Amino acid sequence: MTDTPSDDEIVHLARQAGLILPAEYVPELIEAYGHVRRMIGRISTVRPHGDEPAHVFVPSVFLPGKSRS
Amino acid sequence: MTELAFLGIAEASRLIADRKLSPVELTEAYLRRIANLDSQLDSFVTLTADRARAEAKAAEAAIMASGPASRLHGIPYCLKDIFDTAGIRTTAMSKLLADNVPARDAHCQEKLAAAGGVLLGKNATWEFAHGGPSWDVLFPPARNPWDRTCSPAGSSSGSAAAVAAGFAPATLGSDTGGSIRGPAAACGIAGLKPTYGLVSRRGVIPNCFSHDHAGPLAWTTEDVAILLQIIAGHDPEDPGSAQVAIPDYSLAPTGDLKGLVIGVPTKWLQDEAPPAAATMAAFEAALDVCRGLGASVRPVTLPPLQQYDDSKKVIAVAELFTIHGADLRKRPELFGASLRYRIIAGSLVRAEDYIQAMRLRTDLARSLQAVMSTVDLLMLPTSEPAGKLEPVPPSSLFTRASFTTPFNVGGNPALSVCSGFDARGLPFSLQIVGKLFDEATVLRAGDAYEKATPWRDKRPAL
């Protein structure tokens, strides 16, 4: 993660995400985002290019009457 | 005969099959008890009394004509109010769904109805099975029948409270980070989070798609097994549904644990998140019971608990925002403060962060399955005994370590059973974790433990 964003920057980022909050909810967003940033900071690491995430696309799941086994 | 409301599924089923108990009589016993006592607990948000009477009458006629169609035939049950029920309001406790009446049943409800069960009603939950306890949502939070000033935990709060109080012998809940096992633990009952994919989530209002599980809660492990038998199985309409053979879970109990190896994640319990001394003493006593039943116990090492929490919660906040973003943008005031706090920052989680969390999940799941390949079961406390029912800082979701979340990350089956009572009379809990799709061994252990201990003989007094 980059440097900690200011409160105004957090509000700006939320606006970019289409979340234009009434002023009364902005402190909630800022505080909650602090927790989420700390979690993201702890999980961020350099990984091999081919490191697949836990969920991959299994097309057979979407055939009628089929699913993963 | 034991008071009807405390019979349990297995015993009631036997009596119904022997024509010694009428489903109508049994249903009326539960409806009377709910009418007289649920004002103390608020465990139901919707009661379907007329429908229950009609279903009980139909079950009685069918059983008299040709015997029971299943072990649930004529037995009442209830559902957490996030399971869709055709024609019956399904609110997820949220003002956003105050008037939501589904047109179709959830897959699990279809199975329970087809088995001849009698639906009593819908149970209180935390808002969208995630934010709570809350006093600013559609209904008040459920209370703990062992002490009404205490929390039944969440999010399957009303489900667990109702079973413990003898308002129903069976219910279904959902578990994304511990929402079946936590309430089962707080209310002193048995609750199973099955393997991811074993039970369909179709028609269960989503919390976090990648970690959501549906599963049964009941007074005993034996009753949980009966419910699992009915609801487990492939559903092509759930993309996460597994195609696996469903064993006969009634054959799982052997009355002992001979030959089983139990792993204990000692680093979590000693260094990372040490439980209170009384909780550890109850856990050690439970392990001694398991040794006496023939199991051996040894320490195992898993990745840090915090990694499981971080991975799951980053994924969850992103998925939650995806589910609720449209409503949050248009009408944030309709959310309870607890849930709103817990999803609002999902708007700022980048795709890169979400995928990194999913990559970490791969590592954590592999590590867990590697450890599980060296033992038959893991055991650890489910949680601390219940605390007071009072507002908690919504940030606690992000800061509190959880002994249940790792098994949502790994997808493994995990059962919570009662393991005694603390000095206040609130239940202790034992969590029993199995290999993927090995619910049978988990149920065998839970059943043997319950039958070797006196904890199933005590009910809360209302």
Side-chain angles (χ1 to χ4, degrees):
Chain A
M1 296 292 284
T2 52
D3 293 339
T4 305
S6 68
D7 292 355
D8 286 344
E9 286 170 330
I10 292 171
V11 171
H12 177 69
L13 289 169
R15 280 178 170 270
Q16 283 191 320
L19 189 62
I20 302 165
L21 288 168
E24 64 195 285
Y25 301 134
V26 168
E28 286 179 16
L29 170 68
I30 291 167
E31 187 182 314
Y33 185 51
H35 290 291
V36 171
R37 271 185 65 84
R38 281 188 282 281
M39 291 193 297
I40 289 170
R42 289 195 293 265
I43 68 169
S44 296
T45 185
V46 176
R47 288 175 172 273
H49 289 173
D51 208 0
E52 292 258 359
H55 276 202
V56 295
F57 179 63
V58 182
S60 59
V61 167
F62 302 100
L63 286 168
K66 299 281 185 185
S67 87
R68 71 189 69 192
S69 56
Chain B
M1 184 191 289
T2 308
E3 186 178 340
L4 288 182
F6 294 144
L7 279 180
I9 304 170
E11 178 63 11
S13 180
R14 277 190 285 271
L15 292 170
I16 286 172
D18 292 344
R19 313 286 206 273
K20 291 178 180 168
L21 175 63
S22 147
V24 173
E25 183 186 4
L26 185 63
T27 300
E28 289 296 342
Y30 285 116
L31 289 174
R32 265 196 311 276
R33 196 166 165 81
I34 294 165
N36 291 337
L37 297 172
D38 194 42
S39 59
Q40 296 181 35
L41 299 182
D42 290 326
S43 68
F44 279 83
V45 298
T46 299
L47 199 58
T48 53
D50 291 343
R51 172 185 169 134
R53 289 188 173 102
E55 287 181 344
K57 202 171 170 184
E60 184 164 281
I63 291 165
M64 290 306 286
S66 50
S70 81
R71 295 182 77 187
L72 197 69
H73 203 168
I75 307 277
Y77 67 94
C78 41
L79 294 170
K80 182 177 184 175
D81 199 28
I82 64 166
F83 285 80
D84 281 351
T85 40
I88 301 167
R89 186 169 67 157
T90 301
T91 70
M93 213 72 166
S94 176
K95 293 173 186 171
L96 288 153
L97 297 184
D99 302 315
N100 176 49
V101 179
R104 186 183 178 195
D105 284 331
H107 182 84
C108 286
Q109 163 58 11
E110 286 176 355
K111 292 233 181 182
L112 294 171
V118 174
L119 179 65
L120 293 171
K122 310 292 288 289
N123 296 122
T125 170
W126 285 358
E127 188 177 20
F128 284 109
H130 198 83
S134 302
W135 284 258
D136 58 352
V137 295
L138 197 58
F139 303 105
R143 280 161 278 166
N144 192 314
W146 295 96
D147 178 342
R148 284 175 286 128
T149 69
C150 285
S151 171
S155 63
S156 305
S157 328
S159 300
V163 167
F167 296 165
T171 186
L172 299 188
S174 63
D175 191 317
T176 305
S179 284
I180 288 174
R181 291 159 289 160
C187 295
I189 67 169
L192 175 72
K193 181 199 80 63
T195 304
Y196 188 83
L198 185 71
V199 173
S200 171
R201 301 159 302 148
R202 201 262 295 154
V204 182
I205 294 171
N207 176 344
C208 164
F209 306 111
S210 57
H211 291 71
D212 285 345
H213 302 65
L217 301 95
W219 183 247
T220 64
T221 298
E222 182 181 12
D223 286 355
V224 160
I226 292 171
L227 291 168
L228 183 65
Q229 196 77 59
I230 292 165
I231 62 174
H234 176 60
D235 174 12
E237 293 188 70
D238 174 353
S241 182
Q243 275 189 317
V244 293
I246 306 300
D248 182 347
Y249 296 116
S250 70
L251 301 177
T254 60
D256 63 51
L257 301 180
K258 281 177 190 156
L260 295 185
V261 178
I262 296 169
V264 176
T266 46
K267 204 169 169 59
W268 290 1
L269 300 174
Q270 290 173 1
D271 301 335
E272 285 189 66
T279 301
M280 273 309 285
F283 175 59
E284 294 292 350
L287 291 180
D288 283 343
V289 170
C290 293
R291 288 187 188 96
L293 289 166
S296 60
V297 178
R298 66 179 185 79
V300 294
T301 302
L302 287 159
L305 199 51
Q306 188 175 58
Q307 289 191 4
Y308 286 93
D309 275 331
D310 287 343
S311 166
K312 186 263 174 175
K313 289 168 187 173
V314 170
I315 294 166
V317 76
E319 294 189 12
L320 278 157
F321 187 81
T322 304
I323 293 164
H324 298 292
D327 284 323
L328 200 55
R329 289 180 179 106
K330 284 183 197 159
R331 37 187 187 167
E333 71 284 357
L334 291 186
F335 287 84
S338 176
L339 180 65
R340 192 175 54 239
Y341 184 101
R342 292 172 179 193
I343 62 178
I344 200 167
S347 60
L348 304 182
V349 174
R350 302 171 304 174
E352 176 187 349
D353 304 325
Y354 178 80
I355 292 170
Q356 286 285 42
M358 281 291 199
R359 283 170 146 182
L360 177 57
R361 186 186 192 187
T362 299
D363 296 344
L364 296 171
R366 284 187 174 138
S367 297
L368 177 56
Q369 306 322 334
V371 167
M372 291 305 306
S373 72
T374 68
V375 297
D376 297 294
L377 298 166
L378 294 181
M379 287 192 185
L380 66 165
T382 309
S383 60
E384 295 288 353
K388 289 293 176 190
L389 178 61
E390 56 194 6
V392 296
S395 59
S396 63
L397 175 83
F398 298 122
T399 57
R400 191 185 53 222
S402 162
F403 288 144
T404 51
T405 295
F407 312 113
N408 296 82
V409 173
N412 296 64
L415 171 76
S416 183
V417 296
C418 180
S419 59
F421 297 89
D422 71 6
R424 303 167 301 158
L426 273 293
F428 288 117
S429 56
L430 173 67
Q431 187 176 194
I432 304 168
V433 182
K435 299 176 198 277
L436 295 172
F437 298 106
D438 189 14
E439 275 74 7
T441 303
V442 172
L443 295 167
R444 172 187 168 191
D447 179 72
Y449 174 79
E450 285 177 348
K451 287 178 175 158
T453 53
W455 317 126
R456 293 304 72 201
D457 298 337
K458 185 179 175 186
R459 285 275 191 168
L462 293 174

